[in-house]
Amino acid sequence: MSGVRLLGSVADFRADGRPLMVVDVDEVVLRFVAPLSAYVARFGYRLEPRSFAITGNVVREGGGQAIAGELVKELIDCFFRDEVENQPAVDGALAALATLGATCDIVLLTNVPARQAERRAAYLSRLGLGCPMIANEGSKGGPIAALAMAARDVGGEALEVVFVDDGPNHLAAARGTVARLRLVHFVADPAWFAMAPQVGGTWLRTRDWAEVTRAVTALAG
Ligand SMILES: [Mg+2]
């Protein structure tokens, strides 16, 4: 295993012709909501699971009013700066990726801030992962389309492409740009999984990596 290699951009991805699996990191491979919730509590804030969003659900301890979006953004930035090497792995994620890596070309597509991308890649390497990682900003629709095109250029038009993410917006953006994309809506946290809006065209909705492994293996095996 050569560890997790941080690619400079989507254009640096070299497909190997096997079915492509693009996998988000936060709340899919690493826990995000639970450690973020513990982090903001240190500063006198509380993350309330009222709806499937961070912004609008962070309140001051003892108050019910949501704090400003700018402050939430700052807290999340500080969280990644301080905790990017402390986010626990999601149950079953590392074993599943090891298994699926035998039949699929796996790429991690994460919206971790660029400043923390190298540290995230190094941490994921220490956890035993070995695949490329791309640090993205904003919508994932464009990057998914480019990765799928690169994979199908090598593996053929019928090649399976699977995209695993917790974010409804990312899944919806990707769906519109790639033909025959298998969307896996994966949210590790049980409370947040229950609140996650349904995404049209989802192939699999789950918080269980064993279920993902079975489904993708049946496609790609
Ligand atoms: Mg995520």
Side-chain angles (χ1 to χ4, degrees), residues 12-217:
D12 296 328
F13 170 63
R14 294 289 166 266
D16 68 7
R18 295 182 300 163
L20 175 67
M21 208 175 160
V22 184
V23 182
D24 176 36
V25 176
D26 289 299
E27 213 49 49
V28 173
V29 177
L30 298 177
R31 299 298 298 268
F32 172 70
V33 170
L36 176 69
S37 183
Y39 182 79
V40 302
R42 286 195 232 156
F43 303 96
Y45 299 105
R46 204 171 61 248
L47 176 59
E48 293 273 8
R50 302 187 290 205
S51 64
F52 192 81
I54 306 294
T55 302
N57 288 322
V58 181
V59 301
R60 244 175 254 287
E61 200 59 66
Q65 181 102 28
I67 63 171
E70 273 307 301
L71 183 51
V72 173
K73 194 176 170 300
E74 207 177 308
L75 282 167
I76 293 174
D77 276 354
C78 292
F79 167 77
F80 283 122
R81 182 196 65 201
D82 296 342
E83 301 295 324
V84 76
E85 282 115 352
N86 296 325
Q87 291 176 251
V90 166
D91 281 351
L94 303 175
L97 290 173
T99 301
L100 289 164
T103 45
C104 297
D105 201 1
I106 296 174
V107 184
L108 300 174
L109 181 64
T110 174
N111 275 13
V112 73
R115 289 184 299 286
Q116 270 76 52
E118 286 283 4
R119 291 168 62 207
R120 166 158 285 180
Y123 174 60
L124 291 169
S125 298
R126 290 199 293 281
L127 293 182
L129 293 187
C131 58
M133 181 184 112
I134 296 163
N136 179 62
E137 200 182 332
S139 172
K140 292 185 180 177
I144 292 282
L147 291 168
M149 205 180 299
R152 286 178 175 160
D153 272 351
V154 178
E157 276 311 300
L159 189 79
E160 294 286 359
V161 179
V162 179
F163 175 38
V164 189
D165 206 297
D166 63 312
N169 295 344
H170 292 311
L171 293 165
R175 179 189 59 207
T177 58
V178 182
R180 305 179 319 281
L181 178 62
R182 309 270 184 180
L183 296 178
V184 178
H185 194 178
F186 189 105
V187 186
D189 186 276
W192 290 71
F193 177 69
M195 290 188 299
Q198 300 287 334
V199 178
T202 295
W203 176 60
L204 177 64
R205 180 183 164 99
T206 184
R207 51 180 299 272
D208 178 0
W209 267 105
E211 199 179 340
V212 178
T213 303
R214 280 194 298 274
V216 175
T217 302

